[in-house]
Amino acid sequence: MTVSTVPKVRIALIAHDKKKDEILAVASDYVDVLRQCQLVATGTTGGRIATELGLDIERMLSGPHGGDLQIGAQLAEGRVDMVLFLRDPMTPQPHEPDINALVRACDVHNVPCATNSATARLLLEQLIVRLAAQPAA
């Protein structure tokens, strides 16, 4: 008899420099649910979350060095279920085309994408409800 298992939700975590403390605060508040997920992040963001919260995270390059594009490629392949991308709208980003491409890929592939902490918290709250409704394995 084969036991079917529900695959873990794969969440991408990304934050611009001025939003790194904010994504850490969100991740800290939802650390229990994030432990139940597969996590991928851009380099510096992933490093800080792994170090400060002890979460297991697959780290890509930093955003300006192609990390946003690496996550976008995984998303296009169906390997990312949710993106939490805390953007700094007040600071010009040298890799703005990569950022826009990632957000556009979320729209094209119908992947939930939070670009601020309020929306990130809403998505994570909904994830808690969804996980609680799954039958025990």
Side-chain angles (χ1 to χ4, degrees), residues 7-136:
K8 287 188 173 185
V9 174
R10 189 161 165 87
I11 301 174
L13 302 164
I14 308 163
H16 286 150
D17 289 345
K18 291 184 180 178
K19 298 291 183 171
K20 295 210 189 299
D21 289 339
E22 199 170 327
I23 203 164
L24 275 164
V26 170
S28 178
D29 289 346
Y30 292 91
V31 70
D32 291 336
V33 72
L34 292 175
R35 284 190 201 289
Q36 298 175 55
C37 302
Q38 290 182 346
L39 305 175
V40 61
T42 49
T44 309
T45 300
R48 286 197 55 193
I49 292 171
T51 299
E52 295 180 36
L53 301 178
L55 291 170
D56 184 28
I57 300 179
E58 179 184 355
R59 290 175 57 199
M60 301 290 109
L61 298 171
S62 69
H65 292 119
D68 299 331
L69 292 173
Q70 289 177 304
I71 290 173
Q74 289 186 23
L75 189 146
E77 294 171 346
R79 295 175 38 215
V80 174
D81 302 304
M82 179 187 304
V83 175
L84 307 181
F85 188 171
L86 302 193
R87 299 171 64 183
D88 175 7
M90 303 308 288
T91 303
Q93 302 296 325
H95 61 296
E96 192 70 34
D98 299 347
I99 295 163
N100 292 336
L102 176 59
V103 173
R104 185 172 37 258
C106 289
D107 291 340
V108 168
H109 296 281
N110 203 30
V111 172
C113 178
T115 59
N116 60 61
S117 61
T119 308
R121 290 174 185 281
L122 285 171
L123 287 178
L124 291 168
E125 286 293 330
Q126 183 58 39
L127 181 58
I128 290 169
V129 170
R130 180 177 154 199
L131 292 173
Q134 289 180 353

